[in-house]
Amino acid sequence: MYNFREIEKKWQQIWKSETSCPDNQSKQPKYYVLEMFAYPSGDLHMGHFRNYVLGDTIARYRRMQGYKVLHPFGWDAFGLPAEEAAIKKQLAPRDWTMNNISQSKETINLMGISYDWYREVCTCEPDYYRWTQWIFIKLYEKGLAYRKASYVNWCPQCQTTLANEQVVNGLCWRCKKEVTKKELTQWFFKITEYAERLLKGIDTLSQWSEEVRTLQRYWIGKSEGLEIDFQWQNEKIPVFTTRPDTIYGVTFLAAAPESELAKKLAKTKELQRYIENSLRTSEIERAQKTKSGVFTGEYGINPLTGEKVPIWIADYILGGYGTGVIMGVPAHDERDYEFAISKSLPIKNVIKPIEVTEEMEHPAMAAKIFTGEGIMMNSGTFDGMNSKEGIIRIIKLSEEKGIGRKKTNYKIKDWLISRQRYWGAPIPMIHCEKCGVVPVPEKDLPVLLPECIDFTPKGKSPLAGVPEFVNTKCPVCKGNASRDTDTMDTFVDSSWYWARYIDSQNEKEAFNKELVKEWLPIDEYIGGIEHACGHLIFFRFMNKVLYDLGYLPFDEPCKRMFTQGMITDEKGMVMSKSKGNAVAVRPFVEDWGADAGRVTILFLGPPNQSAAWSMEGVKGVSRFLERIYKLVEEKIPLSNDIPENETPLYRRINFSIKKVGEDIENYGHNTAVSELMTLVNELYKNKEDKWLPYGIRILIQLLSPFAPHLSEELWQKIGNPDSVFKSKWPAYKEIKEEMVNIIVEINGKVRDNIKMKRDISNEEAEKEIRSIIKIEELLKDKNIIKVIWVPNKLINFVVK
C-alpha cells in the first residue's frame, strides 16, 4: 500500500541531514536556478508554490544531468505589510516577520523543495542590510544617489511615498487606495542615466518572454524630438515635442500643475486652488477625465513665428514627462484638440494628408484633426515639405538659431527610494549644518534600525521621533549632526539579493568576486509577470551599476526569465488568503501528500498561463501515483538483464525519455506529466515484456523531479543504495517509429489520416489507401490525373 505520509516523512528526514549546497571547488558545469524570494506575510498556500515547484523540478533535473546546481532561497522581509500587520496585532514588525518565516520555511520543506538553506538571506537582518546600505553609498559616490525636493507619489492610506513603478492605474500597489501628489525632499537613484542601456539590453535578452521585453520597452518609453525655448518675459520656457513639424500650429502653451512654471505663474487664489485640487487627483484620473485648465493671464512667444500664445495650467499635462510644459497644437493632437474645443481656443491646421490637397486648405477644414504624416502648410518656408523631412529641418534650424536642441526623452523617471515608514533599511546618510549631507563611514555600517519604538504612521518617518537614533556626530567635522530618518524602498533590497546568495556568509564584503565569476549570471529565473516593470527593471539597473563599479563581470543578471501564471480557484479567482479561497498546504499534505500537490500543480496546464485548482485533478494525480507504487511493488525484485531485441515498449520508453526531458527544458511540465501517465499505461499493458524492468527504472528516474519522495522510495526498493538524484538522467536512443501518419488529400483538401508502415512504397500506399471505403467513395466516378506522394508524410490525389 502506498503510504505517502510515512514515505514523505522518512525522506524529508534524510534530506534534512544532507545538503543541497553545491561544492564551489567542483569542476562540474554550474547551473543557477532561482525563484523570486518570498514576502513573509503569513504561511504559504498552494497558490504560492507554482514557481517554487517549477524551479525545484528544473534544479533536480539539472543535478541528474551532471551540473552543480545552485538553488537558494530567502526572504524579502522589510516592507509595509509587516508594519501594518504589527500595528493591528500590537506586535513588533520583526517578531511578526520572523514567526512567518519560520512557518513558511517548514511549509517549503513539507513540499520537498530542495533549497540550499546554507545560503539563505533575509533582508531585515543587519548582516544583509549592512550591504544594502553599502550599495547606497556606492551609488552616492558615483553620483547616482541624490536628494531633491519634488512632487512625489503619496499614498494617504500608507502615509508614505511611492516610486512610479508602485502606482498601478493610479492606485497604491499595496493598499489599492488612490495615490495623490505631495511635495517632499526625497532620495532618488538616477536610473534615467541608464535608460538607453536598459533599453538596448532588452535586445540581448533572447531567452526572456516577449511579453516582459515589450512591457519594459514601453515603460522605459524612449521618444526623440526637439526641446525648443518659448519666451516668457525674460525667461525661457523649454518645451519638448516629438512633432517639431507642427510648431507653426501652436495656439497655446499648457503647464502641468506640479511644474516649476505653474508655481511661478500661480499668483491668484483661483490658480492656487486649481493646482491644489489637481494634485489631489491621481495621474490616471487626470489623464482620463474631461480636460480642464485655468488661463494664467500670461503669454509666451513662439520662437519660430514670433506669435504670442496664451499660457494655461492644465491637469491633463503630467509633470513627469518632458519638461512639464507642452506646446498645444489642437489641429494635430487629440488631447490638445479636446482641450482647445472646451476652452474655445484657435485651431490652426499646418499638416494636410499626402493624398489630399486643395480641399484641406478650405477654412472649414480648420476644425478637423489630423495626426498622421503629411504635407506641411501654413508653415512659412516649409510649405509643401513632407512632415518627416520637416521634423529634421526644423530641428536643424532651431539648433542653428540657438533656440532649441535635438533631445531624447524617456518615460522612465528616476527611482524614488525614500520611505517615511519604520520597517526598512535606514538610509546611511548624515546631515551636518557645517558639512552638508555626508555618508556614514563604511566601518560604521550597518546603521541599525532601533527597536521598541512607536512606528504608527504620522506622515513623517517614525525614526524622526527617536532622539538616540537621530542624534549623532558628523564623520567629517566631528560636530553635532543628525541621521537621515527615511528608510529605503524594499525594491532596493531585492535589486541585488540574487548576488548575495553566492556568498551569503561573507562578513567582509557583499560577495566575493571570484565566486561571482563562478556562479553568475543566473541561468534560470522564475517569477510573476507583475514584476516586469518593477523588480525586473530595478535588478537590471543594479546589475549595470555594479558592473560599472567593477564588482560584477557581466552586464545583465539573468540569461533566461520565465513568468508563471497564477493559480486560481475553480471560479477563476486568484488564490488568496484574503479572498478565503486559498488551499492551505499543511492540511493538504496531511490528506493527499506533497508529491500529489507537486504533480497537480505541474499538471494544471501550461505553466505560463493561469490555471484553476481542481480537487478532481488532485484525485486523478493521487490515483496515478498509487498505480506507479503498485506497479513497482508487483515486480520487485527487478531483473538487471538487458534484452537484445527492441520491442514497441522499448521504443515507447525511449520516446518518453526524450519527451520528458525536452518538456522540462521548455516549460512543458504539464505535457511531461501527461507523457509519464502514458508511459505508466504502456508498462501496465506490457507486464510480460522483457523491457519492463528497464522501463520501471527509467520511469522512476523520469518521475523523480516531479514526485521526489515517491521516486526516492521506489529507487531504494528496486535495490539502489544511493539517492535517485545521484543517478544520471537517462539518455535516449533515436528510434524510427515503425508506423507513420500519412495525410490523405484529394485536390489538396485533407480527407483522412492513416497509420502506415514506415518507408512503404508509393505503389503499396496508393493501393492500400484506395481500398479504404471512405476514400473509395470519394474517388468514385473521378478521373485521377496525378498522384503526388511525399514518403512517410502525404498522398494527394489530383482528380477531375
Side-chain angles (χ1 to χ4, degrees):
M1 180 183 172
Y2 173 38
N3 188 334
F4 62 81
R5 293 185 188 90
E6 189 178 292
I7 290 169
E8 290 177 0
K9 186 176 180 181
K10 167 188 169 180
W11 285 102
Q12 284 169 18
Q13 284 298 321
I14 292 171
W15 293 338
K16 199 172 183 180
S17 64
E18 296 173 349
T19 177
S20 294
C21 181
D23 180 4
N24 289 327
Q25 306 306 315
S26 168
K27 298 301 181 186
Q28 294 172 288
K30 70 92 179 178
Y31 207 86
Y32 184 179
V33 182
L34 183 63
E35 300 94 68
M36 292 181 184
F37 63 175
Y39 185 82
S41 58
D43 200 2
L44 300 168
H45 57 70
M46 280 297 185
H48 291 119
F49 270 90
R50 197 175 198 186
N51 63 331
Y52 306 151
V53 173
L54 283 169
D56 193 55
T57 305
I58 292 164
R60 291 179 181 276
Y61 168 69
R62 292 298 185 190
R63 287 190 193 107
M64 294 175 75
Q65 284 190 311
Y67 290 92
K68 58 177 181 181
V69 173
L70 178 60
H71 189 214
F73 200 70
W75 311 97
D76 190 9
F78 273 139
L80 282 174
E83 197 170 314
E84 288 165 356
I87 291 168
K88 194 180 293 184
K89 297 174 187 295
Q90 296 186 325
L91 293 169
R94 180 178 182 80
D95 293 343
W96 186 82
T97 300
M98 300 315 287
N99 181 58
N100 288 338
I101 287 173
S102 177
Q103 271 191 320
S104 297
K105 194 169 175 179
E106 286 178 15
T107 303
I108 285 169
N109 288 329
L110 268 179
M111 286 293 286
I113 309 294
S114 60
Y115 286 133
D116 175 0
W117 290 113
Y118 174 77
R119 297 173 192 262
E120 180 182 12
V121 301
C122 181
T123 61
C124 70
E125 294 287 13
D127 64 358
Y128 183 89
Y129 70 75
R130 167 191 181 181
W131 300 110
T132 303
Q133 293 171 340
W134 174 81
I135 286 172
F136 179 100
I137 291 168
K138 291 301 167 189
L139 266 74
Y140 178 78
E141 290 169 351
K142 190 173 167 59
L144 295 172
Y146 67 94
R147 195 167 179 259
K148 72 169 183 178
S150 71
Y151 282 101
V152 294
N153 301 309
W154 178 260
C155 177
Q157 175 74 17
C158 298
Q159 290 282 290
T160 192
T161 54
L162 300 170
N164 291 333
E165 291 78 5
Q166 294 165 324
V167 180
V168 181
N169 296 328
L171 305 178
C172 171
W173 72 307
R174 284 293 189 193
C175 70
K176 306 296 186 266
K177 301 295 183 186
E178 198 168 276
V179 173
T180 61
K181 292 286 185 181
K182 187 172 183 177
E183 190 171 27
L184 291 171
T185 299
Q186 304 282 277
W187 284 99
F188 294 82
F189 284 166
K190 202 179 288 185
I191 197 170
T192 51
E193 194 163 303
Y194 284 76
E196 186 64 21
R197 281 173 62 186
L198 287 166
L199 187 63
K200 285 184 175 177
I202 293 171
D203 294 334
T204 70
L205 304 176
S206 59
Q207 295 187 74
W208 287 40
S209 77
E210 188 53 41
E211 185 179 8
V212 172
R213 296 194 296 165
T214 298
L215 286 168
Q216 290 209 355
R217 285 190 187 99
Y218 173 77
W219 190 258
I220 294 166
K222 181 178 181 179
S223 54
E224 295 177 329
L226 171 70
E227 187 176 86
I228 190 164
D229 299 327
F230 281 69
Q231 201 71 27
W232 168 63
Q233 296 180 0
N234 294 320
E235 289 191 33
K236 292 176 180 177
I237 303 175
V239 173
F240 176 76
T241 177
T242 58
R243 292 293 305 270
D245 54 317
T246 65
I247 194 163
Y248 286 84
V250 174
T251 60
F252 66 93
L253 294 177
E258 59 267 50
S259 68
E260 288 300 316
L261 181 62
K263 286 184 196 174
K264 291 177 183 177
L265 297 176
K267 297 172 182 173
T268 68
K269 287 186 178 179
E270 181 191 12
L271 285 167
Q272 290 163 4
R273 272 197 306 271
Y274 179 78
I275 290 172
E276 287 170 10
N277 291 335
S278 296
L279 295 179
R280 289 194 196 101
T281 308
S282 69
E283 287 190 353
I284 191 75
E285 190 181 342
R286 282 165 57 184
Q288 290 175 349
K289 76 182 191 69
T290 302
K291 308 292 180 283
S292 72
V294 179
F295 178 45
T296 64
E298 298 288 340
Y299 293 83
I301 305 296
N302 187 322
L304 284 186
T305 67
E307 294 173 341
K308 285 172 63 178
V309 290
I311 304 174
W312 290 70
I313 297 174
D315 62 358
Y316 78 98
I317 311 302
L318 303 178
Y321 183 75
T323 64
V325 183
I326 63 105
M327 58 182 217
V329 188
H332 306 293
D333 182 276
E334 291 177 3
R335 298 184 312 153
D336 295 349
Y337 179 79
E338 185 184 333
F339 184 76
I341 291 295
S342 71
K343 300 300 179 185
S344 301
L345 293 168
I347 298 172
K348 184 179 178 184
N349 197 335
V350 293
I351 306 287
K352 59 187 176 184
I354 293 170
E355 70 277 8
V356 180
T357 53
E358 293 179 10
E359 60 268 34
M360 287 301 296
E361 296 175 3
H362 192 277
M365 299 302 292
K368 302 292 182 182
I369 180 171
F370 174 65
T371 61
E373 177 188 348
I375 303 300
M376 295 177 71
M377 59 187 287
N378 299 324
S379 299
T381 58
F382 297 99
D383 282 357
M385 186 178 291
N386 181 282
S387 58
K388 273 192 173 179
E389 177 64 20
I391 288 172
I392 297 167
R393 296 280 294 275
I394 287 174
I395 289 174
K396 184 180 178 184
L397 177 65
S398 300
E399 289 178 331
E400 288 171 353
K401 286 178 168 285
I403 56 172
R405 62 233 124 245
K406 188 176 182 179
K407 186 84 180 280
T408 300
N409 259 337
Y410 299 92
K411 195 176 90 166
I412 193 171
K413 294 301 160 193
D414 282 343
W415 177 8
L416 168 62
I417 64 104
S418 289
R419 295 293 178 270
Q420 292 69 46
R421 297 297 292 253
Y422 164 71
W423 192 234
I427 291 176
M429 301 300 286
I430 290 171
H431 301 265
C432 173
E433 285 188 11
K434 181 179 177 183
C435 305
V437 182
V438 295
V440 173
E442 287 182 26
K443 67 179 179 62
D444 294 336
L445 297 178
V447 176
L448 292 170
L449 199 59
E451 297 183 8
C452 305
I453 73 164
D454 177 11
F455 49 82
T456 52
K458 300 176 177 66
K460 64 177 184 177
S461 174
L463 297 179
V466 185
E468 56 269 33
F469 173 83
V470 174
N471 298 328
T472 189
K473 295 293 182 181
C474 172
V476 179
C477 70
K478 311 304 179 189
N480 291 334
S482 58
R483 292 192 187 280
D484 201 291
T485 57
D486 284 351
T487 53
M488 282 187 248
D489 177 11
T490 55
F491 276 116
V492 181
D493 306 324
S494 61
S495 69
W496 75 282
Y497 78 106
W498 46 276
R500 181 63 176 171
Y501 280 138
I502 304 302
D503 202 11
S504 63
Q505 308 298 315
N506 195 331
E507 296 179 0
K508 296 181 180 178
E509 53 191 342
F511 39 76
N512 178 275
K513 288 184 182 180
E514 292 305 311
L515 289 178
V516 161
K517 285 180 189 175
E518 173 70 21
W519 284 107
L520 289 170
I522 302 161
D523 292 285
E524 202 117 13
Y525 196 27
I526 306 168
I529 188 68
E530 67 274 15
H531 298 291
C533 297
H535 164 66
L536 291 176
I537 291 256
F538 297 142
F539 104 127
R540 291 184 60 221
F541 161 69
M542 193 59 73
N543 187 107
K544 291 179 188 299
V545 171
L546 293 171
Y547 170 77
D548 290 349
L549 291 169
Y551 294 105
L552 297 177
F554 45 86
D555 196 47
E556 291 286 351
C558 168
K559 293 179 184 177
R560 189 181 191 188
M561 175 70 221
F562 181 81
T563 52
Q564 88 282 352
M566 300 278 197
I567 292 183
T568 69
D569 61 19
E570 293 183 80
K571 295 177 182 176
M573 297 288 288
V574 173
M575 200 179 278
S576 163
K577 280 179 286 187
S578 62
K579 294 188 178 93
N581 64 353
V583 176
V585 174
R586 291 166 192 255
F588 179 90
V589 168
E590 177 62 27
D591 292 342
W592 297 96
D595 282 344
R598 290 171 63 110
V599 178
T600 298
I601 286 169
L602 296 170
F603 191 48
L604 286 175
N608 64 331
Q609 298 174 18
S610 291
W613 181 265
S614 160
M615 282 312 298
E616 286 305 310
V618 173
K619 292 171 187 176
V621 165
S622 184
R623 287 193 296 270
F624 164 61
L625 297 178
E626 284 173 5
R627 290 188 78 208
I628 294 172
Y629 187 87
K630 183 181 176 185
L631 176 67
V632 178
E633 280 269 276
E634 283 178 2
K635 293 300 174 181
I636 294 171
L638 292 182
S639 167
N640 290 316
D641 295 340
I642 299 295
E644 291 182 8
N645 299 324
E646 295 177 0
T647 66
L649 178 61
Y650 175 73
R651 284 189 283 274
R652 181 77 232 183
I653 294 164
N654 266 276
F655 178 80
S656 295
I657 296 170
K658 182 174 188 287
K659 177 91 168 86
V660 172
E662 288 176 351
D663 283 350
I664 291 173
E665 295 196 16
N666 295 306
Y667 285 94
H669 292 68
N670 57 316
T671 52
V673 173
S674 180
E675 178 57 33
L676 289 170
M677 291 175 173
T678 301
L679 178 58
V680 170
N681 289 337
E682 290 300 316
L683 293 172
Y684 263 94
K685 286 179 192 173
N686 295 276
K687 286 186 179 180
E688 303 308 316
D689 193 294
K690 291 177 290 183
W691 286 99
L692 182 70
Y694 172 78
I696 287 174
R697 286 191 186 87
I698 296 298
L699 171 65
I700 295 169
Q701 288 178 299
L702 298 185
L703 179 70
S704 61
F706 301 86
H709 306 86
L710 175 59
S711 301
E712 288 275 44
E713 182 70 11
L714 296 179
W715 192 246
Q716 188 182 71
K717 274 183 178 291
I718 64 172
N720 296 290
D722 288 333
S723 165
V724 67
F725 298 106
K726 291 182 179 177
S727 71
K728 189 176 180 182
W729 185 261
Y732 62 87
K733 179 182 175 183
E734 286 283 5
I735 298 174
K736 290 183 178 179
E737 290 285 335
E738 283 190 346
M739 304 296 286
V740 291
N741 191 54
I742 302 296
I743 297 169
V744 181
E745 295 182 349
I746 297 176
N747 287 343
K749 290 187 178 179
V750 176
R751 298 300 186 181
D752 209 345
N753 286 279
I754 299 167
K755 289 282 185 184
M756 306 192 82
K757 286 183 180 179
R758 176 177 288 281
D759 299 327
I760 189 172
S761 69
N762 57 337
E763 293 86 0
E764 288 179 295
E766 184 180 342
K767 183 180 177 182
E768 191 174 325
I769 289 166
R770 289 183 67 172
S771 69
I772 297 168
I773 292 173
K774 177 183 175 183
I775 303 300
E776 189 178 12
E777 284 295 316
L778 290 168
L779 293 175
K780 190 177 179 181
D781 302 326
K782 298 287 191 304
N783 180 23
I784 299 175
I785 298 168
K786 184 167 60 171
V787 177
I788 300 168
W789 170 248
V790 180
N792 299 317
K793 290 185 179 179
L794 174 147
I795 190 167
N796 181 20
F797 295 94
V798 181
V799 303
K800 268 190 177 181

